[in-house]
Every structure is written in structure tokens, then in C-alpha cells.
């Protein structure tokens, strides 16, 4: 009995000494600044910075390989704090937000065929370029909503992805997941957008969508600096987005929308208080 | 005697009685022939005619772009009225040449009859490529590529695929009954190109007349007709090789890895036409059938004929079509419209009404394992599909998603109507995308 206690205890003791020694000898030194940076990051491990998780980014920032403003979810707030920790001048992060450039839900846009397969946009796109008649419209099967780590995307009852401007951190995961490139990154302070992604001619667009851009040029005439029309599709030139608002009223198909007025029909997102990122101002 | 076959598979109702006794009829020319440039697996052909050009039957209107590509020929003589994207069987608008036939149907000059005895294997292969011959079973893989095995791959066996295991389709059956000499002339040419002595023709046992006729025609030629068990997908390349030779194509491998080349009987007949008469591939045999077709038929059609024209020649429809399928019901592709043209791969056209395509919503997997039993590729469709839905792509790959032959047995047999083959196909696409990236 005693022998057993002695021998087991002995093994335990020697192992403890050995492990304790190894822990001291092979200890990895962590830069305290790295821990401090990690503290101010959102901790979503979304990968938007291009590094493996927040830990990877913190390491890269301290090593000088990444800038303090490279964490889109952290926004300007995190950028400033990181700059303080590193003792460098704060760099202004240009906050961006993802926008679904389409309002053609199942009620407003025509379908080519009835899709019965896997509930996934990438799978649907493989079958005859997707069930929507419009080649660029939102397929509405929610692949983007599923990849969003921040719960910023909701699918309306009629099958349209809508992105909350307050919850979106600009991590771009939805942009990568969308097979139709209907989601684009835009400056957060630009609230007016042309919500259409069809490059077909106007006559064709009219056939399959009630709210598609028909390239009628009215927006461009109303606010010449704020709009360009390429491939039969109008776009806001975001350098001059402040001038874009007057065209919202004039657009005959109502495909230009000012998000200050609220989100597309069917969305439960409340209209944003103003066009500023939470935590960015004040 | 026990018939040869492969493990797995299933027995869908074959519905061949509607057209199997109908002799092949020639479908008249339509008002417009729409010839797509993408009619084969590989790089699409490049248009080499302009609007307003007068073309003759058999003239090259699209040039091959690369090794895995074949030229496209005018299916009849007439005027090119448009060169523009038109709706293609894939569901997209793809470049096509639109020809208005002049009704004279005149062949282009310079098509010389050839003597397969006098030509070398390389010359024969070049003739087959120039004639635009692709796998006529429906997969449309360029024939000359299969006939050019790389150095070090020894081919010792040629298998002719006369199985036609898809329900409804009877085009290959009628071809074997009505043109056995053409098929066998093609076999002799293929045999010479590959330098093989062992040749089998695999035919499913539900075509006893074709088995008898081909057996008689083959006596003394060193070709063995092998009757096969009636089971879907008996005509799938790897399953056919396993049934006839007992050799198993390894995972990720090709038939040539086990020394075999498989060609469809329709391909053999087209090869004979190309070499003996110098004629390019401008027509094929197609079964028009289904509950909604007034008079199901086997037709000899021009490539580029709009499907609506084929239906019209078969007496029109008996109601509103709810589903249009090009090819067979198991592996064919649903079509958006009857305005789509027939291509080199159009082995069948099937029309179904709303009552023939019952739709049930999918239920939960009950783990019955029927998909695993039915799978001829011996993978686990339910597991792979579950991984695909979760986007666990590397796990799907580990479980052999790439071995899937997309025969659809799993989806057909699933009592919960889960879209299994669709999920596996999605996983295969994702695996390929991942490989390209790495």
C-alpha cells in the first residue's frame, strides 16, 4: 500500500518538476501589445482582415504587417484604439457597408422556371444560370444570410436579401458567397443607391422586372455628376453621392432608393437613425 | 443463364413500348435551323460564317478551338440569317448560327468516300475529328479524344454501348435493328484506330430482336454480343465495363486505365458515315416520346431543329406540357422552352403533363439506406449530400463525391424525396472550384 503511494507520488513529483521546468524553458513570449490589441478587436474571427482570426490579425498589426484600420468589423473605433496601443498616428478607416443591388423579389421579378433543388443560391445558379429571368437579380435562397457572421442579412418573405446598415461591419463574406455579384461594398455615408444589377437592355428588363433599371437617363439628367450609365445600368458615382438624392423621386421604375427613407419592402429592419456607422462618430 | 451486370442500380418502369416498334422516320426540315457552337464537352467552336452567307450541307460553320473540341457543320444548305446568342439546352443564351434552309439540301463539294483499309490510324482519327463526331449517347465527349490514348496506356478492348438503359429512349435500339451494317462498319474502323482485337457489343436483355440481329451480323467478325441484365444505369461507362470485362475503373480513373474504350453504337454509325462517305455529323436519331406526345416516334433529325418542330411532326401535344426533358428521364436535362434546338447530344425529347410529374416536398432522411444500396458507384449518397448541405466540402470529397456518376438512382429511390444527386453535384462543383484555387 505504502509502496504504491510512494511510487505513484514519486512519478507525479518528477513529472511536475519536469513539466514546470519545460514551461519556463520553452515559454513563448507574447508581446503585451498583441494582447492589448486582441482586447479591442470584436472577436468575431470573421477573417475579413485576411488573417486567420483576430489573433492572427493582432499579431500582424504588432509586427507592422497590417494597418490598424484593416479590421472592417472593428471600424474607426477599433482603429483608433489600436493606433493608440501601438503609439502611431490614427489612420481614418473608410467605413464600408454591403448593399444588395436588387429589389426584384419573387413578387416583382419573373422566374424562368420553378426551382425545386437545394436551398442554396450557388446550387441554383448551376442550373440554367438560376431560376430568375434577370441574369443579375437576387436569387433569394439566402446563401449570403447564412454566411454573415453578424446576422446583418435577412431574407424577406418574398425572397430578397436585405442588409442592415447598422449591423453590417463590411467583412465582405456575403460578397464572396453571392454567385451573382449582386452584393457590392459601398461607403457607409452614401445612402442613395441604384438597386439594380441587370445589364440587359431596358425593353428586356421591363419584361421580367417591375423595379429594374431601364437606363432611361433620367437620373443622369437630374444629377449629372452623381450618376453614370454603363451597359444599360445606372450607378451612383460614390465620390459625388451627396448629389444623388434628387433623382430618387424622378426614377420611373423606382429602382433608385435612399436608405434614409427605410429598407426595401418586406424588410423588418428599422430605418437607420442617420447614415453614420454605430460607434464611428460621436 | 445469369446475365452479366454490376452491383447496385434499380429498375424504373422502362416505357419503351411506346416507340420501340416504330421504324425511324426522317423529320422534314424546319423553317429555321439553329446550330449552337457549344454542342460538345470542351471548348465551343468558333463561328466562321457571317450573316448573309450561303452555306451548303456539311460546310464547316464553326471551327474547333483546341484539342478537346470539334468543328460544327451546316446541317442543310441555305442562307445564314443570323449569328447571335440563342437559347441553348443548357438554359443560357449561347452563340449560334441560324440557317434558313433553301430546301435543296445540297452537300458541299469535296466530300470524298474513303477506304478504311488504305488509311492509317492517324488519318482515320483525323477524319473522325474533322467530321465533328462526339459521343452520341448524350454526353457529347469528342470521339477522337477517346481514340487517342496517351503513351503508355495500352488499350486491348473496345466495347460498343448498345445498352440504352434510360426509360422511354429507343433510338439506339432502332439503329441497331435498321442499320446493323453501318454500326459494324464503324466498329471495324474504331477497331483499326485503336489496334484492338477484342470487341464486345453490350445490349440489354429487353431488346431480344436487336441481340439476335446483331449476333447474326457479328458471326465470323470476332465481335461478341453480350446480353446484359435489364437494370439502370447499365449503360453507364464504368458499370458497363465492370459487367462485361469484370475490370473496375479505379476512383478518379478513366476507362483507358483498365485498357478499355467505350463508344456508343450511334457513334460507331456516325464514324462509318464519316469515313466511308466523308460526311460530317449533321443528323442523328432521336426518340420523341412521353405521355403528352400524340404519336411517339423515332426520328432522324437535323442538328439544330427546334424541339417544337419535332413535336409538331409527331402530331403535336395532348395538353399543356409541365416538363420538357431533353435526353432520358433519369439523366436528361429539363428545358425551359420548346424553342431550344436539338444538338448532337439530343438522344430523346420527352414531354410530360402536370399529372405525370408528381411533386412531393422533401422530408427528413430516415436512414433507410436505400440510396446506398442502389448506388452503382458504391458511395454513400446520404452522407455526402448531408455534408454538401453543410458546406463541408473536404468531408464530401473524402467520402468519394467525385466518384459519383450522377445517374440519379439515389434521388429516384429516396422515400423522403431528398434531392441527393443535386446535392452531390453541388459538392462536386465546389470540390473542383477548390482544386482550381489551390
Amino acid at each position: 500500500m505504502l509502496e504504491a503511494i510512494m511510487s505513484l507520488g514519486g512519478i507525479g513529483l518528477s513529472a511536475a518538476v519536469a513539466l514546470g521546468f519545460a514551461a519556463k524553458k520553452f515559454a513563448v513570449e507574447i508581446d503585451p501589445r498583441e494582447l492589448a490589441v486582441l482586447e479591442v478587436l470584436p472577436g468575431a474571427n470573421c477573417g475579413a482582415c485576411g488573417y486567420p482570426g483576430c489573433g492572427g490579425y493582432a499579431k500582424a498589426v504588432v509586427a507592422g504587417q497590417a494597418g490598424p484600420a484593416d479590421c472592417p468589423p472593428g471600424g474607426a473605433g477599433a482603429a483608433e484604439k489600436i493606433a493608440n496601443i501601438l503609439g502611431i498616428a490614427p489612420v481614418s478607416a473608410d467605413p464600408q457597408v454591403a448593399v444588395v443591388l436588387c429589389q426584384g423579389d419573387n413578387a416583382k421579378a419573373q422566374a424562368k422556371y420553378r426551382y425545386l433543388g437545394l436551398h442554396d443560391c450557388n446550387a441554383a445558379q448551376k442550373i440554367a444560370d438560376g431560376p430568375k429571368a434577370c441574369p443579375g437579380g437576387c436569387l433569394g435562397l439566402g446563401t449570403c444570410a447564412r454566411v454573415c457572421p453578424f446576422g446583418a442579412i435577412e431574407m424577406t418573405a418574398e425572397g430578397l436579401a436585405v442588409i442592415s446598415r447598422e449591423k453590417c461591419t463590411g467583412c465582405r463574406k456575403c460578397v464572396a458567397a453571392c454567385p451573382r455579384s449582386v452584393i457590392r461594398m459601398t461607403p457607409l455615408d452614401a445612402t442613395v443607391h441604384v438597386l439594380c444589377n441587370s445589364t440587359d437592355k431596358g425593353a428586356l428588363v421591363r419584361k421580367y422586372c417591375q423595379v429594374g433599371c431601364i437606363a432611361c437617363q433620367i437620373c443622369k439628367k437630374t444629377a449629372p455628376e452623381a450618376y453614370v450609365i454603363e451597359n444599360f445600368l445606372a450607378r451612383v458615382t460614390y465620390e459625388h453621392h451627396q448629389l444623388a438624392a434628387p433623382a430618387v423621386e424622378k426614377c420611373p421604375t423606382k429602382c433608385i432608393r435612399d436608405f434614409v427613407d427605410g429598407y426595401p419592402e418586406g424588410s423588418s429592419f428599422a430605418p437607420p437613425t442617420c447614415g453614420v456607422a454605430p460607434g464611428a462618430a460621436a | 443463364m445469369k446475365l452479366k451486370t454490376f452491383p447496385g442500380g434499380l429498375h424504373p418502369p422502362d416505357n419503351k413500348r411506346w416507340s420501340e416498334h416504330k421504324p425511324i422516320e426522317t423529320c422534314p426540315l424546319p423553317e429555321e435551323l439553329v446550330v449552337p457552337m457549344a454542342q460538345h464537352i470542351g471548348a465551343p467552336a468558333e463561328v466562321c460564317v457571317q450573316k448573309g452567307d450561303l452555306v451548303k450541307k456539311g460546310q464547316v460553320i464553326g471551327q474547333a478551338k483546341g484539342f478537346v473540341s470539334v468543328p460544327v457543320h451546316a446541317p442543310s444548305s441555305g442562307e445564314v440569317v443570323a449569328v447571335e446568342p440563342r437559347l441553348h439546352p443548357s438554359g443560357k443564351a449561347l452563340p449560334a448560327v441560324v440557317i434558313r434552309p433553301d430546301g435543296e439540301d445540297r452537300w458541299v463539294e469535296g466530300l470524298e468516300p474513303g477506304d478504311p483499309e488504305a488509311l492509317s490510324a492517324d488519318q482515320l482519327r483525323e477524319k473522325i475529328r474533322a467530321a465533328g463526331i462526339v459521343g452520341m449517347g448524350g454526353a457529347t465527349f469528342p470521339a477522337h479524344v477517346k481514340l487517342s490514348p496517351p503513351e503508355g496506356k495500352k488499350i486491348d478492348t473496345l466495347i460498343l454501348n448498345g445498352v440504352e438503359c434510360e426509360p422511354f429512349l429507343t433510338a439506339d435500339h432502332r439503329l441497331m435493328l435498321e442499320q446493323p451494317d453501318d454500326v459494324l462498319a464503324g466498329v471495324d474502323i474504331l477497331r483499326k484506330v485503336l489496334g484492338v482485337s477484342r470487341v464486345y457489343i453490350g445490349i440489354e436483355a429487353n431488346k431480344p430482336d436487336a441481340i439476335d440481329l446483331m449476333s447474326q451480323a457479328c458471326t465470323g467478325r470476332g465481335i461478341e454480343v453480350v446480353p446484359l441484365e435489364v437494370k439502370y444505369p447499365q449503360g453507364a461507362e464504368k458499370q458497363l465495363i465492370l459487367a462485361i470485362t469484370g475490370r473496375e475503373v479505379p476512383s478518379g480513373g478513366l476507362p483507358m486505365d483498365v485498357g478499355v474504350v467505350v463508344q456508343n453504337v450511334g457513334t460507331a454509325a456516325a464514324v462509318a458515315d464519316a469515313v466511308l462517305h466523308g460526311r460530317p455529323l449533321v443528323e442523328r436519331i432521336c426518340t420523341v416520346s412521353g405521355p403528352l406526345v400524340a404519336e411517339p416516334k423515332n426520328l432522324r433529325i437535323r442538328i439544330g431543329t427546334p424541339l417544337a418542330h419535332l413535336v409538331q411532326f409527331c402530331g403535336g401535344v395532348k395538353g399543356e406540357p409541365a416538363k420538357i426533358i431533353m435526353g432520358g428521364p433519369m439523366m436528361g436535362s429539363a428545358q425551359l422552352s420548346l424553342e431550344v434546338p436539338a444538338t448532337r447530344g439530343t438522344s430523346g425529347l420527352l414531354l410530360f403533363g402536370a399529372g405525370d410529374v408528381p411533386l412531393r416536398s422533401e422530408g427528413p432522411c430516415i436512414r433507410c439506406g436505400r440510396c446506398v444500396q442502389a448506388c452503382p458507384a458504391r458511395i454513400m449518397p446520404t452522407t455526402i449530400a448531408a455534408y454538401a448541405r453543410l458546406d463541408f466540402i473536404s468531408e464530401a470529397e473524402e467520402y468519394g463525391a467525385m466518384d459519383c456518376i450522377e445517374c440519379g438512382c439515389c434521388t429516384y429511390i429516396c422515400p423522403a424525396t431528398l434531392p441527393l444527386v443535386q446535392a452531390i453535384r453541388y459538392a462536386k462543383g465546389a470540390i473542383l472550384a477548390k482544386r482550381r484555387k489551390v
Side-chain angles (χ1 to χ4, degrees):
Chain A
M1 181 67 193
L2 191 68
E3 260 172 51
I5 293 172
M6 292 288 281
S7 59
L8 269 179
I11 292 170
L13 196 67
S14 50
V17 170
L19 282 171
F21 176 73
K24 276 262 187 297
K25 173 86 179 170
F26 302 113
V28 178
E29 259 182 58
I30 298 179
D31 195 322
R33 293 179 300 168
E34 207 176 303
L35 290 172
V37 169
L38 200 54
E39 201 95 309
V40 302
L41 291 175
N45 287 324
C46 64
C49 51
Y51 292 93
C54 296
Y57 173 64
K59 200 168 180 176
V61 168
V62 172
Q65 288 159 349
D70 290 351
C71 172
E80 202 184 317
K81 286 178 197 154
I82 295 168
N84 281 339
I85 292 163
L86 300 180
I88 55 175
V91 196
S92 72
D94 180 20
Q96 290 212 314
V97 66
V99 175
V100 178
L101 298 183
C102 178
Q103 289 188 100
D105 58 19
N106 295 337
K108 297 195 186 98
Q110 301 269 326
K112 263 196 295 199
Y113 60 90
R114 194 167 152 208
Y115 177 68
L116 297 166
L118 226 53
H119 205 75
D120 178 278
C121 300
N122 285 295
Q125 179 69 17
K126 285 212 170 76
I127 298 172
D129 273 355
K132 274 252 161 90
C134 171
C138 173
L139 292 173
L141 296 170
T143 299
C144 54
R146 285 193 288 279
V147 301
C148 178
F150 305 99
I153 307 183
E154 68 163 11
M155 304 305 300
T156 67
E158 286 293 350
L160 180 73
V162 180
I163 301 179
S164 161
R165 299 176 72 78
E166 295 190 319
K167 289 186 189 161
C168 176
T169 59
C171 75
R172 296 164 195 260
K173 280 206 153 179
C174 52
V175 177
C178 178
R180 293 192 136 193
S181 309
V182 65
I183 308 179
R184 297 285 168 87
M185 300 308 297
T186 59
L188 179 60
D189 51 357
T191 57
V192 179
H193 304 283
V194 180
L195 296 191
C196 182
N197 193 35
S198 165
T199 50
D200 281 332
K201 286 184 180 172
L204 196 53
V205 174
R206 266 200 193 285
K207 273 188 193 151
Y208 57 63
C209 186
Q210 294 169 21
V211 284
C213 173
I214 53 171
C216 64
Q217 314 269 342
I218 291 176
C219 54
K220 196 162 165 56
K221 277 176 200 146
T222 314
E225 284 200 305
Y227 291 92
V228 283
I229 294 170
E230 274 173 357
N231 293 327
F232 312 103
L233 177 61
R235 287 206 181 287
V236 176
T237 49
Y238 289 110
E239 298 91 74
H240 304 289
H241 65 82
Q242 305 88 341
L243 309 169
V248 176
E249 284 297 306
K250 300 271 174 159
C251 177
T253 61
K254 302 283 170 231
C255 67
I256 305 179
R257 172 176 280 274
D258 192 338
F259 276 88
V260 167
D261 304 334
Y263 285 93
E265 224 172 282
S267 161
S268 64
F269 290 137
T273 42
C274 59
V276 190
Chain B
M1 193 190 101
K2 203 169 178 303
L3 293 167
K4 291 186 171 179
T5 191
F6 63 95
L10 40 82
H11 304 90
D14 79 355
N15 288 313
K16 293 195 191 249
R17 63 185 186 285
W18 294 1
S19 56
E20 65 184 336
H21 300 298
K22 302 274 181 71
I24 300 166
E25 287 177 56
T26 300
C27 183
L29 281 170
E31 268 173 40
E32 253 186 10
L33 288 160
V34 181
V35 191
M37 289 297 112
Q39 293 192 63
H40 49 264
I41 292 180
E46 207 163 61
V47 181
C48 58
V49 287
Q50 284 175 344
K51 187 180 168 181
D53 284 3
L54 293 175
V55 293
K56 294 241 175 84
K57 185 179 177 184
Q59 185 181 331
V60 174
I61 55 173
Q63 260 151 359
K65 255 191 339 187
F67 179 61
V68 187
S69 182
V70 283
V72 175
H73 307 83
S76 184
S77 57
E79 188 192 350
V80 175
V81 289
V83 177
E84 62 188 19
R86 287 286 183 101
L87 192 60
H88 183 269
S90 71
K92 306 166 196 176
L94 295 178
V97 172
V98 184
I99 297 171
R100 183 175 299 140
D102 55 14
E104 292 178 25
D105 211 19
R106 218 173 320 175
W107 282 99
V108 67
E109 293 84 21
L111 298 180
E112 296 284 325
D115 178 13
E117 298 291 317
L119 295 166
S120 73
D122 280 334
Q123 283 169 322
L124 289 171
R125 211 175 280 135
E126 173 50 30
K127 269 190 177 291
I128 291 169
R129 191 202 64 81
I133 293 176
V134 297
M136 305 289 278
T140 65
F141 190 76
H144 69 276
V145 182
K146 267 194 190 178
L147 296 176
S148 319
E151 290 286 320
K153 298 270 186 216
K154 183 82 187 79
I155 304 296
D156 61 5
T157 305
L158 169 68
I159 296 178
L160 257 266
N161 189 346
V163 176
E164 202 162 50
C165 58
E166 280 268 8
F168 290 98
L169 303 190
T170 54
D172 288 352
H173 184 183
R174 292 310 308 181
L175 176 78
M176 286 189 284
L177 286 180
E178 295 180 33
Q179 296 171 259
D181 297 339
D182 288 350
V183 174
L184 293 181
V187 171
D188 287 338
I189 295 163
L190 292 171
R191 175 146 78 166
K192 180 169 182 191
V193 173
L194 290 167
V196 299
S197 53
R198 204 175 333 170
V199 184
Y200 300 100
I201 302 183
I203 306 175
E204 244 181 2
N206 61 356
K207 307 172 188 63
D209 46 353
I211 295 174
D212 285 350
L213 189 76
M214 291 307 276
S215 303
Q216 277 170 27
C218 288
T219 40
R221 284 189 180 228
I223 303 170
E224 192 186 331
V225 174
V226 186
L228 296 160
E229 192 183 317
V230 182
K231 187 158 79 172
Y232 178 83
Q234 185 64 70
E237 201 168 58
K238 292 177 183 177
Q239 279 58 37
L240 186 61
I241 294 170
L242 182 60
I244 292 183
T245 66
R247 298 178 194 174
E248 192 161 354
V249 180
S251 171
L254 293 170
M256 63 171 73
D257 294 327
V258 292
V260 182
V261 165
V262 181
Q263 294 283 4
N264 182 268
V265 285
T267 316
V271 164
D273 217 22
V275 174
L276 299 177
H277 308 291
R279 286 179 192 160
L281 180 60
V282 293
E283 58 183 25
R284 66 157 299 140
I285 298 165
C286 166
T287 303
V288 182
S289 185
L292 230 59
V293 177
E295 200 189 334
K297 283 179 180 176
N298 293 299
L299 298 179
R300 183 181 305 281
I301 58 164
R302 294 309 162 88
I303 308 295
T305 309
L307 301 187
H309 184 77
L310 302 180
V311 176
Q312 212 179 357
F313 186 64
C314 291
V317 288
K318 293 190 286 187
E320 181 69 20
K323 198 163 212 170
I324 306 163
I325 295 178
M326 185 184 276
M330 298 296 287
M331 286 191 73
S333 56
Q335 296 299 315
L336 301 176
S337 129
L338 279 173
E339 296 311 308
V340 171
T343 65
R344 288 168 175 170
T346 306
S347 50
L349 168 64
L350 308 176
L351 296 186
F352 299 93
D356 308 314
V357 278
L359 296 173
R360 276 200 295 146
S361 55
E362 55 186 275
C365 173
I366 56 166
R367 307 249 152 208
C368 62
R370 286 208 217 165
C371 54
V372 182
Q373 270 171 25
C375 181
R378 286 183 269 177
I379 53 175
M380 293 179 6
T382 177
T383 310
I384 299 171
Y387 279 134
R389 282 156 173 249
L390 294 167
D391 248 326
F392 284 13
I393 297 307
S394 34
E395 283 82 355
E397 189 174 3
E398 225 170 89
Y399 273 78
M402 294 311 283
D403 288 340
C404 173
I405 57 168
E406 302 186 18
C407 65
C409 285
C410 49
T411 309
Y412 179 87
I413 206 80
C414 180
T417 45
L418 292 166
L420 296 170
V421 70
Q422 291 87 339
I424 300 173
R425 192 181 292 152
Y426 166 70
K428 283 173 83 175
I431 292 166
L432 290 178
K434 200 179 73 180
R435 283 188 191 165
R436 273 197 298 273
K437 236 182 270 172
V438 174

